[in-house]
Amino acid sequence: MSRTAKAVYLHGVGDLRIHEEPVPQIAAPNEVLIRVAAVGVCGSDCHFYRRGRIGRFVVKEPIILGHEFSGTVVDVGAEVEHLKQGDQVAVEPGIPCRRCQRCREGRYNLCEREVVFMATPGLTHGAFREYLTWPADLAFKLPERVSLEDGAMVEPLAVGVQACRRAGIVPGQSAAVLGAGPIGLLAAQAAASYGAHPVVVTDVVSTRVALAEKLGMTAVDAGKSDVVEAIRARTEGRGVDAVIETAGTLPTVREAMAAVKTGGVVVLVGMLAEEEGMLRAMDIIEREYDVRGVFRYATCYLPALSLIAAGRIDLASLRTHEFPLDQTEEAIKTTIEDKAGAVKVLVRP
Amino acid sequence: MSRTAKAVYLHGVGDLRIHEEPVPQIAAPNEVLIRVAAVGVCGSDCHFYRRGRIGRFVVKEPIILGHEFSGTVVDVGAEVEHLKQGDQVAVEPGIPCRRCQRCREGRYNLCEREVVFMATPGLTHGAFREYLTWPADLAFKLPERVSLEDGAMVEPLAVGVQACRRAGIVPGQSAAVLGAGPIGLLAAQAAASYGAHPVVVTDVVSTRVALAEKLGMTAVDAGKSDVVEAIRARTEGRGVDAVIETAGTLPTVREAMAAVKTGGVVVLVGMLAEEEGMLRAMDIIEREYDVRGVFRYATCYLPALSLIAAGRIDLASLRTHEFPLDQTEEAIKTTIEDKAGAVKVLVRP
Amino acid sequence: MSRTAKAVYLHGVGDLRIHEEPVPQIAAPNEVLIRVAAVGVCGSDCHFYRRGRIGRFVVKEPIILGHEFSGTVVDVGAEVEHLKQGDQVAVEPGIPCRRCQRCREGRYNLCEREVVFMATPGLTHGAFREYLTWPADLAFKLPERVSLEDGAMVEPLAVGVQACRRAGIVPGQSAAVLGAGPIGLLAAQAAASYGAHPVVVTDVVSTRVALAEKLGMTAVDAGKSDVVEAIRARTEGRGVDAVIETAGTLPTVREAMAAVKTGGVVVLVGMLAEEEGMLRAMDIIEREYDVRGVFRYATCYLPALSLIAAGRIDLASLRTHEFPLDQTEEAIKTTIEDKAGAVKVLVRP
Amino acid sequence: MSRTAKAVYLHGVGDLRIHEEPVPQIAAPNEVLIRVAAVGVCGSDCHFYRRGRIGRFVVKEPIILGHEFSGTVVDVGAEVEHLKQGDQVAVEPGIPCRRCQRCREGRYNLCEREVVFMATPGLTHGAFREYLTWPADLAFKLPERVSLEDGAMVEPLAVGVQACRRAGIVPGQSAAVLGAGPIGLLAAQAAASYGAHPVVVTDVVSTRVALAEKLGMTAVDAGKSDVVEAIRARTEGRGVDAVIETAGTLPTVREAMAAVKTGGVVVLVGMLAEEEGMLRAMDIIEREYDVRGVFRYATCYLPALSLIAAGRIDLASLRTHEFPLDQTEEAIKTTIEDKAGAVKVLVRP
């Protein structure tokens, strides 16, 4: 193993640079050293690249982006039992405190001490690099027949799993997913895997609608049809039991509330630019439904991996582009510009 | 038993008249004939009296109001097994279809065919009268030591129970109830009975704040203190696990969302006059909490009666006035005008 | 429509006779008249045929057996809204009282007044006949692409759905189904549809093991391998999250308890001949797991139909034989004698 | 603070000795040093004293017993934020790995790596001593008005809370607790706090029956009445929704199964000496109820403390004896011999 390795740092808006630096070393007995294999480009990576900040998190020091990734274990700490050299893993990118009330009760995504989340300014670096160390319990061995490329997509699938879990989807229920980006398409497949039928997927981009259809969903082109009517038409006028809103716009939030069945659940996943959405409180009361937020995920990697291993999620159809590490900027730009219908773009360090 | 009996009809806005009419007869084998003993005045009764309508329900024909009531069984249909003459009962005022999907799964308050709810124009008459017939399975025998006056308050307590159930309150959790009217004070006591501690109750009316305190709640005068700060101060800065909003105003809905703990539940009970509340979608996402509506109740009478029988709910302190049937108008006016601190006003036919 | 129709009556042990009798008429406004299309033979039909009784239910009067069936609506009562002539339906064979506490809360399979279940001596006749009337709300319209043959198998699938619901299966969990008869094979497919992976299916009959494998399950021949070891080997030694016991024998009940993961759930479905199973109380405590009974099903027809419509259940592979109504006895004997690997045998009236 | 402190070691069966040893020092940044204030004697302490073993845990080296305790913080590690010198705490005596699947999902009592539980041979020492260090996150600050004596009883109350949580008790339900020892009496009070009414408590020891009655329970003397009949008589013949079995005998396990309502839950808490209980599998199926194990507790300290702070648990009535540390043997003997009606005996180091 070479002594130095490459890492891609964001120095400021639009300023990505490749550094050569020492390969990191295991510093704690429960860590693993991972050779990064594949990293998905996330909307938040693009946002940092273009704006230099997301909310209160501002790029002041150079930071390595990327948090959707897989890799191969090359070294393990003294206390690591469940992994060994050569194991391929998908990695959960947030480290909770493990000790507060929320962590203890299993909702560690709401850790009271702030999750140390990868690629977050002020917290810790991300995965656009060749090597990194990480707590071993957050590295999940890929089951047989799950590739490293698949492994890099466990993170966004975990968001979809969290959404389905928060929605409480079970067989007999119907679902709608608003927005057919990577999160939407993965949430839709997760919803089907949780038993929902039909799963209606809507988007205004026709290539994404087509992809949703290819994935077996009931696809609706929101540019051509009234989404709420289309959903009602497929549910005997009742609306769906669960709506997963991933588009993050006021119109789709309103569609979500109009399309949910009386007594159903709207799950909000898509971040809204506007400070205030317009949720009609009176409608929530009269039709006794729920609006539930989703913030990342907790204990979703195992279910996500299980669904992939069971062959219930088509990840390959979502992977549209692949770039080597030194073309990370191209990968980010491709995601932003959506050239040639980019859905999920991977960087291969 | 006399052949005729009195009933109070609303003929139009502010126009209540006493009619003398034949005592109703059992018309189906599963009905009971009830001598009404006590009827609580509800805000909806006042609204019909003052406005002649609530939403799409418009008083076109004379209608008997009142739906919070107890009484004594005086006759039973051929198939009635669990009740006999002389039994004292609290009565659930809505008849669901019992056959649709929602009824079958236990959420009959969301009956797809519309619940036949008492005192609703176009549906059926209410309880401001001496006698009425009703399906026997909706008449719940009062346990020992539960009075007829208590029985008339099971209906609003059932709303509080539904709110706690929808909030998922269990011991170890804290709760806040916004609004200390009858529903708020009953929901607060229900929340304590479900195990919540502390239960913070807020209102702008100081007599109601005092009553909340007397009932053992942590009372906050919203006219004098910042509600959200007060709630945070009592929960180590975290906010409460469950907020039950009963005031039905935009400011209190906003307080509800600000006062709920990350990962907690806001339950909306209070009807809002304005069509659109301002629920901040982004806050729901970032703090992963739930906003859940409450529409009446389903299977809440038995829990409500059980809590009363167990001595866990102080109903007597909420009963401030009592009027005979021919002073029903006075009872309604007292409730509206809140003279002398009216909380729950009973009519005794 | 002819005025008379055929029905197959059991007069006593091994004594089936075809009667010609008047076509039944709709007697209540919420009934439908159904032309029976397909009836599955159940183990209970075989038991009545061979023994003349099941527990306290003794054949004293001639009775029509059969309760797993589909048909076509030929007439509807005045109040029936959701069905019309020509609709194809799967029919739930038990009529609950709809009014007791259990019915009201959605667990109507536990109806306090006893469910009027088809083909039960003393209660009501079954479906081995050409026509019958039944409450319309218990007749579920078959979705598109669901055949009448499929419709006749909704009933046993509903048992599998109830088992999965009682087990609380969600993605990320593993399951084992002990016994690969019709109930076991349907429960296994239901478990996969609820998200379980792997789903291990065990049986001592090798043809059934082969069928389980064909259906995509992880099949284990209990005659050749140690079931508990095989299950542990496929779950990193932990055991499965949920075991569904359908074989109804003491050895398989013990296997169930040994194969369940610490903190998991054993669901008991298979009726045991012996009065007392040997459940190790201490093991339940030390490994904090649950043992949960399944008695028929409640609100499981819609989920079952939804899973079939979604293409997630292979019913055709389980249908091994078909007989006309006048060969009902042959159908029952085929099921009993398991000639040529009978799994599900249908009678087509 | 003196440099040495006393600790009581069990050297073998019936052989307790007081050692003088160095006061322990904080060894990790998240530890606290605690001056032990009160330690409850548990049945397991008595068992080790009398038999020198419990199951696979054998006293080979001298060990300090005691795991139900409270104390005052005298020093805190560098990373401890929520505690400071002088804080009074109740301490959770088991340290989970915090990293396995079970820990991550909130069921850390089922930790895959074995909880390091106090006073367990081969694992770690207990609390019959003056000072000890422990992870700070397992030390819970006592709320106002909760005494150190109360704090020493949080541990057994946590078992009662876990039992109620596992039983899913909510208002409207009835409960029975079999066995009125400390665990039974605390579980009964927890059940009432979770909303159960009535809570029937049974025992064969009349002083304990009297104590149960004093605590507000519906007490049944199992030596004088048929327990199952008595429970049915108080539940309109249905049986109770939840039975919590704490006596740990075959007859009471059988009573539990006979006394539970159809569709209800039996929770097994009491350890059985016999290897096999006799749970009737067929009864579980026909009446579709659950049998659920309880193994210690997870995330139950906060609910337990909340219930105590809310004034809903009478702990004082259960504390019958108190001994200084050098009379630990007397405390254990008193518990064993049940002289003068010992319920909970405290040691005050």
Side-chain angles (χ1 to χ4, degrees):
Chain A
M1 185 165 83
S2 67
R3 295 289 177 78
T4 65
K6 289 183 201 162
V8 179
Y9 281 79
L10 178 72
H11 283 250
V13 173
D15 181 8
L16 282 174
R17 304 181 203 169
I18 297 181
H19 294 208
E20 188 80 21
E21 55 187 16
V23 170
Q25 307 257 333
I26 284 175
N30 64 328
E31 283 187 353
V32 283
L33 174 64
I34 296 169
R35 175 66 177 86
V36 180
V39 194
V41 176
C42 171
S44 62
D45 299 317
C46 300
H47 206 92
F48 278 121
Y49 174 78
R50 289 203 294 178
R51 307 280 179 222
R53 68 182 298 161
I54 293 179
R56 66 185 169 98
F57 295 105
V58 181
V59 179
K60 292 174 183 165
E61 306 289 325
I63 185 167
I64 306 172
L65 298 175
H67 64 271
E68 306 176 356
F69 77 106
S70 64
T72 302
V73 173
V74 291
D75 197 8
V76 300
E79 293 178 5
V80 176
E81 293 171 9
H82 73 296
L83 291 175
K84 61 178 190 306
Q85 269 201 23
D87 283 346
Q88 299 187 331
V89 292
V91 180
E92 201 167 326
I95 310 174
C97 84
R98 308 173 201 275
R99 290 170 185 273
C100 72
Q101 185 182 343
R102 286 310 200 188
C103 283
R104 287 161 58 91
E105 70 192 19
R107 291 186 78 176
Y108 59 78
N109 57 321
L110 308 181
C111 175
E112 296 183 350
R113 295 212 180 86
E114 184 160 69
V115 172
V116 177
F117 202 83
M118 272 194 174
T120 309
L123 298 182
T124 195
H125 286 298
F128 287 138
R129 48 179 159 163
E130 291 182 313
Y131 291 94
L132 59 82
T133 57
W134 205 246
D137 59 313
L138 301 173
F140 295 83
K141 191 173 170 180
L142 299 182
E144 278 179 46
R145 287 186 298 275
V146 176
S147 70
L148 284 163
E149 290 86 347
D150 290 345
M153 293 177 71
V154 173
E155 205 273 350
L157 178 58
V159 175
V161 166
Q162 178 83 348
C164 292
R165 193 185 277 175
R166 291 276 292 148
I169 293 174
V170 287
Q173 294 191 334
S174 51
V177 178
L178 309 188
I183 294 288
L185 292 170
L186 290 168
Q189 293 187 73
S193 303
Y194 267 76
H197 177 77
V199 179
V200 182
V201 177
T202 73
D203 204 302
V204 290
V205 179
S206 57
T207 51
R208 295 194 160 182
V209 175
L211 181 49
E213 189 145 23
K214 182 189 161 197
L215 294 169
M217 307 299 146
T218 302
V220 172
D221 191 324
K224 296 179 185 159
S225 316
D226 181 286
V227 161
V228 176
E229 273 178 31
I231 290 171
R232 290 195 181 279
R234 281 159 182 84
T235 51
E236 298 174 18
R238 289 187 177 94
V240 283
D241 293 280
V243 182
I244 301 176
E245 203 298 303
T246 73
T249 70
L250 285 183
T252 49
V253 168
R254 286 188 177 166
E255 282 169 5
M257 298 182 75
V260 74
K261 187 176 168 182
T262 293
V265 180
V266 172
V267 172
L268 300 177
V269 180
M271 301 282 186
L272 285 130
E274 293 82 350
E275 206 209 3
E276 296 222 332
M278 301 292 277
L279 278 59
R280 296 184 59 222
M282 195 55 203
D283 192 43
I284 294 173
I285 295 169
E286 283 185 329
R287 303 208 295 121
E288 203 180 68
Y289 62 83
D290 291 14
V291 178
R292 303 183 184 175
V294 162
F295 183 70
R296 295 175 184 156
Y297 39 76
T299 61
C300 290
Y301 263 56
L302 283 178
L305 281 166
S306 175
L307 290 176
I308 299 171
R312 289 170 197 157
I313 311 285
D314 177 353
L315 297 173
S317 295
L318 272 66
R319 289 192 293 266
T320 52
H321 298 73
E322 214 175 286
F323 294 91
L325 185 64
D326 53 15
Q327 292 179 28
T328 297
E329 187 156 16
E330 186 65 13
I332 291 176
K333 283 183 174 171
T334 299
T335 304
I336 291 172
E337 297 164 15
D338 196 14
K339 291 190 289 209
V343 180
K344 183 51 73 181
V345 176
L346 294 190
V347 171
R348 305 298 302 265
Chain B
M1 188 165 82
S2 66
R3 296 289 178 77
T4 64
K6 288 184 201 160
V8 179
Y9 281 80
L10 178 72
H11 282 251
V13 172
D15 181 7
L16 282 174
R17 305 180 203 169
I18 297 181
H19 294 209
E20 188 80 23
E21 56 186 16
V23 170
Q25 308 258 333
I26 284 174
N30 64 328
E31 282 187 355
V32 282
L33 175 63
I34 295 168
R35 176 65 176 87
V36 180
V39 193
V41 176
C42 172
S44 63
D45 299 318
C46 300
H47 207 93
F48 278 121
Y49 174 78
R50 289 204 294 178
R51 308 279 179 223
R53 68 182 299 161
I54 293 179
R56 66 187 168 97
F57 296 105
V58 182
V59 179
K60 292 175 182 164
E61 305 290 325
I63 184 167
I64 307 172
L65 297 175
H67 65 271
E68 305 177 354
F69 77 107
S70 64
T72 303
V73 173
V74 290
D75 197 9
V76 300
E79 292 177 7
V80 175
E81 292 170 10
H82 74 296
L83 291 174
K84 62 178 189 306
Q85 268 200 25
D87 283 346
Q88 298 187 332
V89 292
V91 180
E92 201 168 326
I95 311 174
C97 84
R98 306 172 201 274
R99 291 169 184 274
C100 72
Q101 186 182 342
R102 286 309 200 187
C103 283
R104 288 162 57 92
E105 71 192 19
R107 291 187 79 175
Y108 59 78
N109 58 321
L110 308 181
C111 174
E112 296 182 349
R113 295 213 181 84
E114 183 160 71
V115 172
V116 178
F117 203 82
M118 272 195 173
T120 309
L123 298 182
T124 194
H125 286 299
F128 287 138
R129 49 178 158 161
E130 291 182 313
Y131 291 93
L132 59 81
T133 57
W134 204 246
D137 61 312
L138 301 174
F140 295 83
K141 191 174 170 180
L142 299 182
E144 279 178 45
R145 287 186 297 276
V146 177
S147 70
L148 284 163
E149 290 86 347
D150 290 345
M153 294 177 71
V154 174
E155 204 273 349
L157 178 57
V159 175
V161 166
Q162 178 83 350
C164 292
R165 192 185 277 175
R166 290 278 291 148
I169 292 174
V170 288
Q173 295 191 334
S174 51
V177 178
L178 308 188
I183 294 289
L185 292 169
L186 291 168
Q189 294 188 73
S193 304
Y194 268 76
H197 177 76
V199 179
V200 182
V201 176
T202 73
D203 204 302
V204 291
V205 180
S206 57
T207 52
R208 295 194 160 181
V209 175
L211 182 49
E213 189 145 23
K214 183 189 160 196
L215 295 169
M217 306 299 147
T218 302
V220 172
D221 191 323
K224 296 179 185 158
S225 316
D226 181 287
V227 161
V228 176
E229 273 178 29
I231 289 171
R232 291 195 181 278
R234 281 157 181 84
T235 52
E236 299 174 17
R238 289 187 177 95
V240 284
D241 293 280
V243 183
I244 301 176
E245 204 298 302
T246 73
T249 70
L250 284 184
T252 49
V253 168
R254 286 186 177 169
E255 282 168 6
M257 299 182 75
V260 74
K261 187 176 167 181
T262 293
V265 181
V266 171
V267 172
L268 300 177
V269 180
M271 301 282 186
L272 285 130
E274 294 81 350
E275 207 208 5
E276 297 221 332
M278 301 292 277
L279 277 61
R280 295 183 60 221
M282 197 54 202
D283 192 43
I284 294 172
I285 295 169
E286 284 185 329
R287 301 208 297 123
E288 202 179 68
Y289 61 83
D290 291 14
V291 178
R292 304 183 183 174
V294 162
F295 183 69
R296 295 174 185 157
Y297 39 76
T299 62
C300 289
Y301 263 56
L302 284 177
L305 281 166
S306 175
L307 290 175
I308 299 171
R312 290 171 196 157
I313 311 286
D314 177 353
L315 298 173
S317 294
L318 273 65
R319 290 193 291 266
T320 52
H321 297 74
E322 213 175 286
F323 295 91
L325 185 64
D326 53 15
Q327 292 179 31
T328 297
E329 187 156 15
E330 187 65 12
I332 291 176
K333 284 183 173 170
T334 299
T335 304
I336 292 171
E337 297 164 15
D338 197 13
K339 292 190 288 208
V343 180
K344 183 50 73 180
V345 177
L346 294 190
V347 171
R348 304 299 302 264
Chain C
M1 187 164 81
S2 66
R3 297 290 178 77
T4 63
K6 289 183 200 162
V8 178
Y9 282 79
L10 179 72
H11 283 250
V13 173
D15 180 8
L16 282 174
R17 305 181 203 168
I18 297 181
H19 294 208
E20 188 81 21
E21 56 187 15
V23 170
Q25 308 258 333
I26 284 175
N30 64 329
E31 282 188 353
V32 284
L33 175 64
I34 295 168
R35 176 65 176 87
V36 180
V39 193
V41 176
C42 172
S44 63
D45 299 317
C46 301
H47 207 93
F48 277 122
Y49 174 78
R50 288 203 294 179
R51 307 282 179 219
R53 68 182 298 162
I54 294 180
R56 66 185 168 98
F57 296 105
V58 182
V59 179
K60 292 175 182 166
E61 305 291 323
I63 185 167
I64 307 172
L65 297 176
H67 63 272
E68 305 177 355
F69 77 107
S70 64
T72 302
V73 174
V74 291
D75 197 8
V76 300
E79 292 177 7
V80 175
E81 294 171 10
H82 74 295
L83 290 175
K84 60 179 192 307
Q85 269 201 24
D87 283 346
Q88 298 187 334
V89 292
V91 179
E92 201 167 326
I95 310 174
C97 84
R98 305 173 204 272
R99 290 169 185 273
C100 72
Q101 186 182 343
R102 285 310 198 187
C103 284
R104 288 161 57 91
E105 70 191 21
R107 291 187 79 176
Y108 58 78
N109 57 321
L110 308 182
C111 176
E112 296 182 350
R113 294 211 181 86
E114 183 158 70
V115 172
V116 177
F117 203 82
M118 273 194 173
T120 310
L123 298 182
T124 193
H125 287 298
F128 287 137
R129 47 178 159 161
E130 290 182 313
Y131 292 92
L132 59 82
T133 58
W134 204 247
D137 61 311
L138 300 174
F140 295 83
K141 191 174 169 179
L142 299 182
E144 280 178 45
R145 287 187 298 275
V146 177
S147 69
L148 285 164
E149 289 86 347
D150 289 344
M153 294 176 71
V154 173
E155 206 272 349
L157 178 57
V159 175
V161 167
Q162 177 83 351
C164 291
R165 192 185 276 174
R166 292 276 293 148
I169 293 174
V170 287
Q173 294 190 334
S174 51
V177 177
L178 309 188
I183 293 288
L185 292 170
L186 290 167
Q189 293 188 75
S193 303
Y194 268 75
H197 176 77
V199 179
V200 181
V201 177
T202 72
D203 204 302
V204 290
V205 179
S206 57
T207 53
R208 296 194 159 180
V209 175
L211 181 49
E213 188 145 24
K214 182 190 161 197
L215 294 169
M217 307 299 146
T218 303
V220 172
D221 191 324
K224 297 178 184 159
S225 316
D226 181 287
V227 161
V228 175
E229 272 179 30
I231 290 171
R232 291 194 180 278
R234 281 158 182 84
T235 52
E236 300 174 16
R238 290 187 177 95
V240 283
D241 293 279
V243 182
I244 301 176
E245 203 298 302
T246 73
T249 70
L250 284 185
T252 50
V253 168
R254 286 186 176 169
E255 282 169 5
M257 298 182 76
V260 74
K261 188 178 167 180
T262 293
V265 181
V266 171
V267 172
L268 301 177
V269 180
M271 301 282 187
L272 286 130
E274 294 82 350
E275 208 208 3
E276 299 220 333
M278 301 292 276
L279 278 60
R280 296 184 59 221
M282 196 54 201
D283 191 43
I284 294 173
I285 295 169
E286 284 185 330
R287 301 208 297 121
E288 203 180 67
Y289 61 82
D290 291 13
V291 178
R292 304 182 182 174
V294 162
F295 182 70
R296 296 174 184 157
Y297 39 76
T299 63
C300 289
Y301 263 56
L302 283 178
L305 282 165
S306 175
L307 290 176
I308 299 171
R312 290 171 196 155
I313 310 286
D314 177 353
L315 298 173
S317 294
L318 273 66
R319 290 192 292 266
T320 51
H321 298 73
E322 215 176 283
F323 295 90
L325 185 64
D326 53 14
Q327 292 179 30
T328 297
E329 187 156 15
E330 187 65 13
I332 291 175
K333 284 184 173 170
T334 299
T335 304
I336 293 171
E337 297 164 15
D338 197 14
K339 290 190 290 210
V343 180
K344 183 51 71 180
V345 175
L346 294 190
V347 170
R348 305 297 304 263
Chain D
M1 188 164 83
S2 66
R3 295 290 177 76
T4 63
K6 290 183 200 160
V8 179
Y9 282 80
L10 179 72
H11 283 250
V13 172
D15 180 7
L16 282 174
R17 305 180 202 169
I18 297 181
H19 294 208
E20 188 81 22
E21 56 187 15
V23 170
Q25 307 257 331
I26 284 175
N30 64 329
E31 282 187 353
V32 283
L33 174 64
I34 295 168
R35 175 67 176 86
V36 180
V39 193
V41 176
C42 172
S44 63
D45 299 317
C46 301
H47 207 93
F48 278 122
Y49 174 78
R50 289 204 293 179
R51 307 281 179 221
R53 68 182 299 161
I54 294 179
R56 65 186 169 98
F57 296 105
V58 182
V59 179
K60 292 174 182 165
E61 306 289 325
I63 184 167
I64 306 173
L65 298 176
H67 64 272
E68 306 177 355
F69 77 108
S70 64
T72 302
V73 173
V74 291
D75 196 8
V76 300
E79 292 177 6
V80 176
E81 293 170 10
H82 74 296
L83 291 175
K84 62 179 189 308
Q85 269 200 24
D87 283 346
Q88 298 187 332
V89 293
V91 180
E92 201 167 326
I95 310 174
C97 84
R98 307 173 202 274
R99 290 169 185 273
C100 71
Q101 187 182 343
R102 285 310 199 188
C103 283
R104 289 162 56 91
E105 71 191 21
R107 291 186 79 175
Y108 58 79
N109 58 321
L110 308 182
C111 174
E112 296 183 350
R113 294 212 181 84
E114 183 159 69
V115 172
V116 177
F117 203 82
M118 272 194 174
T120 309
L123 299 181
T124 194
H125 286 299
F128 286 137
R129 48 177 159 163
E130 291 182 312
Y131 292 93
L132 58 82
T133 57
W134 204 246
D137 61 312
L138 301 174
F140 296 83
K141 192 175 169 178
L142 299 182
E144 279 178 45
R145 287 187 297 276
V146 176
S147 69
L148 284 163
E149 289 85 348
D150 290 344
M153 294 176 72
V154 174
E155 205 271 351
L157 178 56
V159 175
V161 167
Q162 177 83 349
C164 291
R165 192 185 277 175
R166 291 277 292 147
I169 292 175
V170 287
Q173 295 191 334
S174 52
V177 178
L178 308 188
I183 294 288
L185 292 170
L186 291 168
Q189 293 187 74
S193 304
Y194 268 75
H197 176 77
V199 178
V200 182
V201 177
T202 73
D203 204 300
V204 290
V205 180
S206 58
T207 53
R208 296 195 158 180
V209 175
L211 181 49
E213 189 144 24
K214 182 190 161 196
L215 294 169
M217 307 299 147
T218 302
V220 172
D221 191 324
K224 296 178 185 161
S225 315
D226 181 287
V227 161
V228 176
E229 273 179 29
I231 289 172
R232 291 195 180 278
R234 281 156 182 86
T235 51
E236 299 174 17
R238 290 188 176 95
V240 284
D241 292 280
V243 182
I244 301 176
E245 204 297 303
T246 72
T249 70
L250 284 184
T252 51
V253 168
R254 286 188 176 166
E255 282 168 5
M257 298 182 75
V260 74
K261 187 176 166 181
T262 293
V265 181
V266 172
V267 172
L268 300 178
V269 180
M271 302 281 187
L272 285 130
E274 294 82 350
E275 207 209 3
E276 297 221 331
M278 301 292 276
L279 278 59
R280 295 184 59 222
M282 196 54 201
D283 192 41
I284 294 173
I285 295 169
E286 283 185 330
R287 301 208 298 121
E288 203 180 66
Y289 62 83
D290 291 14
V291 179
R292 303 183 183 173
V294 162
F295 182 69
R296 296 175 185 155
Y297 39 76
T299 63
C300 289
Y301 263 56
L302 283 178
L305 281 166
S306 175
L307 291 175
I308 298 170
R312 291 172 195 154
I313 310 285
D314 178 353
L315 298 173
S317 294
L318 272 66
R319 290 193 291 267
T320 51
H321 298 74
E322 214 176 284
F323 295 90
L325 185 64
D326 53 15
Q327 294 180 28
T328 296
E329 186 155 17
E330 186 65 13
I332 290 176
K333 284 184 173 169
T334 300
T335 304
I336 292 171
E337 297 165 15
D338 197 13
K339 292 190 288 209
V343 180
K344 182 51 71 179
V345 176
L346 294 190
V347 170
R348 305 298 303 265

